[in-house]
């Protein structure tokens, strides 16, 4: 049986100016897997997630998401991918409800009556519905990012340090959402320094070092050979 990988990267490279941050990343992630990406500060984790989200173009090599080319079929990739940036990625001049309404438009979704308010309740922002997001704490912005993620209905979640800035309850919320996403068959790729928290959720832990990936842990030992597998 052939299954199209959720993520397939071949010798993928990305440079800023003359300096290569990613140099020959090979990765295959099967649909439904949860993969944690570790690596020191500046290793290139955010860069890799941004390339997968099509926010950055690869400088070398190629990549596919659910079979769609990151460069030539970026639109199809964006329809299947949701990216949570380390800061949550919302508009400060809007309320959280307005942010979600805008996100729904971008996702081409017509939310049901009360759906957006319910999402805010779910991420613990029910009491802050009418504030401007610029007045939010960093943890509140992250929670709003989680609500946007839930709205997206994407098949691949790209999470950049999802636990950062969150209190214990917020971290538990992330754990629950990732497990729920997995139960729904979604693929999750998350960059995290918090291995204690993220590794128990993961099918594989990969390390990005010197611009390439290696396997730290995988639930399937047969997959540790050759290209890094998720
Ligand atoms: N827009 C940019 N222009 C130039 N260099 C950049 C840019 N964005 C990132 N870099 C550089 O690329 C390297 C990788 O950065 P990246 O943010 O991808 O690492 P990271 O693994 O996510 O790090 P951290 O764990 O600190 O979040 C760093 O040296 C960084 O300075």
């Amino acid at each position: 049986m052939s299954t199209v990988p959720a993520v397939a990267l071949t010798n993928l490279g990305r440079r800023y100016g003359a300096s290569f941050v990613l140099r020959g990343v090979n990765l295959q992630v099967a649909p439904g897997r949860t993969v944690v990406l570790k690596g020191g500060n500046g290793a290139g984790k955010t860069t890799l997630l941004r390339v997968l989200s099509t926010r950055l173009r690869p400088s070398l090599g190629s990549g596919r998401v659910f079979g769609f080319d990151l460069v030539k079929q970026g639109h199809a990739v964006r329809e299947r991918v949701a990216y949570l940036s380390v800061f949550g990625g919302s508009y400060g001049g809007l309320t959280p409800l307005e942010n979600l309404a805008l996100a729904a438009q971008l996702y081409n979704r017509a939310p049901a009556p009360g759906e957006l308010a319910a999402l805010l309740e779910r991420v613990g922002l029910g009491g802050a519905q009418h504030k401007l997001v610029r007045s939010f704490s960093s943890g509140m912005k992250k929670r709003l990012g989680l609500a946007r993620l839930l709205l997206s209905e994407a098949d691949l979640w790209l999470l950049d340090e999802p636990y950062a800035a969150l209190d214990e309850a917020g971290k538990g919320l992330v754990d629950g959402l990732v497990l729920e996403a997995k139960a729904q068959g979604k693929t999750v790729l998350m960059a995290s320094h918090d291995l204690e928290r993220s590794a128990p959720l993961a099918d594989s832990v990969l390390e990005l070092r010197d611009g390439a990936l290696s396997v730290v842990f995988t639930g399937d030992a047969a997959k540790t050979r050759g290209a890094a597998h998720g």
Side-chain angles (χ1 to χ4, degrees):
M1 191 179 79
S2 83
T3 311
V4 177
V7 175
L9 305 178
T10 309
N11 282 324
L12 187 118
R14 169 69 204 196
R15 63 185 166 87
Y16 296 107
S19 167
F20 272 90
V21 173
L22 305 176
R23 45 179 96 220
V25 172
N26 291 294
L27 175 65
Q28 294 252 352
V29 180
R33 295 295 185 108
T34 298
V35 176
V36 167
L37 199 55
K38 65 174 266 193
N41 289 136
K45 302 179 298 297
T46 297
T47 302
L48 182 56
L49 293 182
R50 288 175 63 84
V51 168
L52 281 168
S53 75
T54 76
R55 281 165 177 76
L56 288 175
R57 284 170 78 104
S59 314
L60 285 176
S62 63
R64 289 181 177 270
V65 166
F66 296 112
F68 296 101
D69 186 273
L70 287 174
V71 176
K72 294 183 197 127
Q73 296 168 297
H75 184 75
V77 172
R78 282 187 289 280
E79 283 185 352
R80 287 157 180 84
V81 163
Y83 172 70
L84 174 66
S85 77
V86 66
F87 302 114
S90 299
Y91 293 96
L94 302 178
T95 67
L97 268 181
E98 289 167 344
N99 263 284
L100 291 186
L102 186 62
Q105 278 181 28
L106 294 175
Y107 296 139
N108 219 0
R109 284 209 47 207
E115 182 183 348
L116 302 185
L119 274 177
L120 290 179
E121 284 287 345
R122 177 137 190 238
V123 299
L125 293 175
Q129 282 190 25
H130 303 293
K131 288 185 174 177
L132 287 184
V133 169
R134 74 162 65 97
S135 72
F136 274 19
S137 71
S138 51
M140 291 166 78
K141 287 177 186 160
K142 197 58 154 290
R143 284 169 180 264
L144 180 55
L146 293 172
R148 224 182 37 249
L149 201 63
L150 289 171
L151 188 61
S152 75
E153 295 183 332
D155 298 315
L156 171 63
W157 283 8
L158 303 169
L159 312 180
D160 197 352
E161 297 294 345
Y163 299 105
L166 287 174
D167 58 20
E168 198 52 33
K171 290 177 183 179
L173 178 66
V174 171
D175 290 343
L177 294 182
V178 169
L179 289 172
E180 194 179 303
K182 188 174 176 60
Q184 292 169 349
K186 293 182 193 293
T187 311
V188 179
L189 187 51
M190 88 166 101
S192 180
H193 291 295
D194 189 346
L195 269 291
E196 216 168 290
R197 193 103 211 179
S198 58
L201 302 175
D203 296 302
S204 315
V205 178
L206 309 178
E207 180 167 15
L208 193 50
R209 190 199 295 218
D210 299 328
L213 277 175
S214 56
V215 177
V216 177
F217 158 85
T218 178
D220 180 352
K223 295 197 168 185
T224 57
R225 290 185 286 275
H229 284 259

